[in-house]
Amino acid sequence: MATAVAASCGATVGPATPALAGGSPGPYCAGSARTDIPADGPAAASRAVRVEGGFYAQTGLYWPPTTAILCQEPPNTHHPLFRAGRGGCASGTLPFLIPNDLGPVVAGSPPPWGTFLPPGWYYLGNDAPPGWSDLCWAVTKPATS
């Protein structure tokens, strides 16, 4: 019966296209420490998310739409507080780099560490070096176009 219903819906609506979804799930972020940051081109700026200041690392990624999972993390004294990004951001925004901990989880590995993000509005940029993620920062929410 379910096959017949599915077949009739397919004939009515048209040919189905396979869903392209996936990602790399992040670890559990304690409390409200998890923040989802949108990506995917020019529309990402209009979907920017407010982030409180603190130390963050990218710990996961899923799509569609492409969205980075950030967790608030402790600072690491061996790494800089701030890291300027390379770009991939709209004009009027500044890129910041945060560590990208999307590699395989190894038992006994140290917890992720974070770099500082000032409070503001963020979306994911696209020009980061390996092991890093570019976040585009604005003081106020970017206008929709």
Side-chain angles (χ1 to χ4, degrees):
M1 174 76 173
T3 305
V5 171
S8 68
C9 287
T12 304
V13 177
T17 55
L20 299 175
S24 174
Y28 174 76
C29 296
S32 62
R34 176 181 165 156
T35 304
D36 289 2
I37 304 291
D40 272 347
S46 66
R47 296 188 327 261
V49 173
R50 174 92 173 120
V51 173
E52 297 303 318
F55 292 85
Y56 290 87
Q58 182 180 340
T59 59
L61 183 71
Y62 63 89
W63 60 85
T66 302
T67 305
I69 300 169
L70 271 56
C71 287
Q72 237 177 342
E73 303 292 348
N76 183 315
T77 56
H78 301 292
H79 297 282
L81 289 179
F82 288 99
R83 243 183 109 166
R86 291 183 177 179
C89 298
S91 64
T93 61
L94 295 174
F96 286 99
L97 287 176
I98 62 170
N100 179 327
D101 291 309
L102 295 180
V105 176
V106 178
S109 63
W113 55 272
T115 54
F116 186 76
L117 294 178
W121 294 85
Y122 288 88
Y123 62 95
L124 195 60
N126 60 10
D127 196 22
W132 295 89
S133 291
D134 257 322
L135 290 179
C136 304
W137 172 78
V139 174
T140 59
K141 187 168 184 174
T144 59
S145 41

